[in-house]
Amino acid sequence: MKDSSSVPFIIDAHLDLATNAMTMNRDLTKSVQEIRDKESELGWKDYQDRGNGTVSLPELREGNLGLVLATMISRYSENGSPLHTMALPGWHSPQQAFAHAQCQLAWYHEMEALGEMVQITTKEGLASHFTMWTESTDGLQKKPVGYILALEGADSIVNLDYLHTFHEQGLRSIGISHFGPGRYAAGTHSDGSGLTAIGKELLKEMNQLPMQLDLTHLTDKGFFEALDIFQGTVIASHQNCRSIVPGERQFSDDQIKCIIERDGMLGGALDTWMLYPDFKLGKDNPKECNIHMELLVDHFDHICQMAGNSNHIGFGSDLDGLFGLEQTPYDINTIADLQKFDAILGKRGYTKKDRDNIFFGNWLRTLNRILS
């Protein structure tokens, strides 16, 4: 393992670790290569990225990614249909969705028991965790990966009482929508719809707690409705720019401007279809399309030009979001390669201060607002 003092500390604002562990049956304490080899040996074909995954806990350490916003994903669907094109279950009741989310939380707790991860819920905890990762000179130390608990899609919040239950368990970030219809808000591919009546009530209740709203996956209508109601910190954990790569999943300049005005954050995502116009899932090849890591910097540049500074961008890679090498920039082998952005950003004119902002400083600023 590299000496952590020689590479930048990185915060990744969106990883679906528990979904990979509990839905895809991946032992994330193993290396990425071990996981790939095991899935290839077993001949598993149930997910497109079998044998092609890019994220595990050893690789997070290798890349000095010491803090992540780690999700729980659990969806309600009246007819039980899978989530969008992904084979994530749509549970038949909110209570089942809640129980499934608790299963994912139990996995995070198991990783804590092994010393693999540690949950961050306080400012003091965040400060000491950052110091441990950035000031230790023992490059061989097995440092626990810090995580702040996030919910992607709010279907598992059975009612407002459950919001407080989740908060007591450490939940600090909520994206109330995901793909398609949701109990609280319409998500990606449901353009024209917005918040539901109970979604508006949920945001009002969130105003009473130190939590942030993740605007990722909201429809345009739902985005502006949510901003009118929610008064706290807003982020877009894994979101790029519509003006560069068209599509309703990306944010328009008007939406980006709103986040900047609220002193929020946008985490750059590395899914190829968010970096390359009209990328055809399951057909196009990232290498043949010349989709490389630096394309994300085009989105960073655009946001920086709008803001007049580098204070509103960071990483929300989503590199384990049910895709792998088949849908990742060709110059990424594992998530540890996020370290390459230090040289890429430097070549594009980003100063050391800018790079520190992007790697960790901006996320530290916003995260401190939601910690006790």
Side-chain angles (χ1 to χ4, degrees):
M1 186 173 185
K2 298 175 184 176
D3 181 348
S4 62
S5 64
S6 66
V7 292
F9 179 79
I10 297 178
I11 296 174
D12 191 327
H14 189 82
L15 287 176
D16 301 314
L17 298 175
T19 295
N20 277 255
M22 298 311 299
T23 299
M24 301 187 70
N25 195 11
R26 286 174 166 163
D27 181 358
L28 298 184
T29 67
K30 306 294 186 183
S31 71
V32 162
Q33 193 58 55
E34 287 178 296
I35 296 170
R36 290 174 183 169
D37 291 345
K38 184 69 171 180
E39 293 178 353
S40 297
E41 174 189 338
L42 293 171
W44 285 353
K45 302 292 183 183
D46 52 342
Y47 295 89
Q48 66 175 14
D49 63 323
R50 287 299 189 191
N52 283 321
T54 63
V55 177
S56 75
L57 291 164
E59 270 66 35
L60 288 174
R61 293 190 186 92
E62 178 66 22
N64 215 31
L65 284 98
L67 180 65
V68 301
L69 269 72
T71 68
M72 299 177 291
I73 302 175
S74 190
R75 172 180 179 259
Y76 163 78
S77 174
E78 186 176 352
N79 61 10
S81 62
L83 173 59
H84 183 42
T85 58
M86 308 176 223
L88 292 178
W91 300 103
H92 281 148
S93 72
Q95 289 76 14
Q96 287 171 276
F98 173 76
H100 182 64
Q102 293 297 296
C103 166
Q104 295 177 46
L105 178 58
W107 178 80
Y108 288 120
H109 289 166
E110 284 298 300
M111 292 303 99
E112 291 184 70
L114 290 176
E116 294 279 350
M117 300 183 74
V118 61
Q119 189 180 41
I120 306 296
T121 59
T122 67
K123 292 181 175 70
E124 181 182 39
L126 179 60
S128 62
H129 185 76
F130 180 73
T131 298
M132 182 264 292
W133 269 81
T134 57
E135 295 186 8
S136 170
T137 58
D138 183 0
L140 298 178
Q141 179 186 354
K142 178 183 170 182
K143 300 174 182 176
V145 174
Y147 76 99
I148 293 175
L149 194 62
L151 195 59
E152 184 168 27
D155 287 356
S156 59
I157 301 176
V158 177
N159 57 44
L160 296 185
D161 290 338
Y162 283 72
L163 172 66
H164 294 271
T165 297
F166 272 124
H167 184 266
E168 290 170 2
Q169 294 174 334
L171 183 67
R172 295 295 182 267
S173 181
I174 300 179
I176 64 172
S177 60
H178 198 192
F179 281 87
R183 295 180 62 226
Y184 292 98
T188 302
H189 302 320
S190 296
D191 212 23
S193 300
L195 306 184
T196 65
I198 61 172
K200 295 174 182 178
E201 292 305 311
L202 177 65
L203 292 180
K204 292 175 184 176
E205 193 71 14
M206 284 175 61
N207 280 330
Q208 311 306 314
L209 296 169
M211 306 185 85
Q212 67 185 13
L213 174 64
D214 187 349
L215 298 160
T216 307
H217 284 296
L218 278 170
T219 63
D220 289 2
K221 180 180 180 181
F223 176 96
F224 291 107
E225 288 177 334
L227 286 185
D228 284 342
I229 299 170
F230 185 72
Q231 303 303 312
T233 295
V234 294
I235 68 161
S237 64
H238 52 305
Q239 192 78 29
N240 296 344
C241 305
R242 189 179 300 177
S243 62
I244 297 174
V245 178
E248 49 94 19
R249 170 65 178 82
Q250 315 274 57
F251 275 169
S252 69
D253 285 357
D254 285 343
Q255 291 170 303
I256 293 169
K257 181 180 178 183
C258 288
I259 294 173
I260 293 170
E261 289 175 346
R262 294 273 290 262
D263 194 27
M265 280 285 296
L266 295 102
L270 285 160
D271 193 331
T272 48
W273 67 274
M274 297 180 69
L275 297 172
Y276 184 88
D278 299 320
F279 184 84
K280 296 178 178 60
L281 303 181
K283 295 180 180 180
D284 287 340
N285 179 286
K287 178 67 172 177
E288 293 173 358
C289 294
N290 195 31
I291 303 173
H292 47 82
M293 295 171 68
E294 191 170 345
L295 291 177
L296 179 59
V297 184
D298 296 340
H299 296 263
F300 283 169
D301 283 350
H302 184 72
I303 296 167
C304 287
Q305 290 299 316
M306 291 185 64
N309 55 53
S310 62
N311 296 338
H312 302 280
I313 52 173
F315 293 106
S317 73
D318 198 24
L319 281 173
D320 58 358
L322 299 186
F323 67 93
L325 295 174
E326 79 291 341
Q327 207 168 303
T328 298
Y330 71 82
D331 46 354
I332 290 178
N333 180 44
T334 77
I335 194 167
D337 288 324
L338 289 189
Q339 289 291 336
K340 294 179 180 178
F341 274 106
D342 198 31
I344 292 170
L345 290 164
K347 184 183 71 173
R348 291 284 287 260
Y350 287 77
T351 66
K352 176 64 163 57
K353 174 60 176 173
D354 291 328
R355 300 197 301 275
D356 285 350
N357 284 346
I358 294 165
F359 284 127
F360 61 86
N362 293 334
W363 284 124
L364 289 179
R365 182 185 78 246
T366 53
L367 290 172
N368 267 295
R369 297 179 194 152
I370 59 171
L371 301 176
S372 58

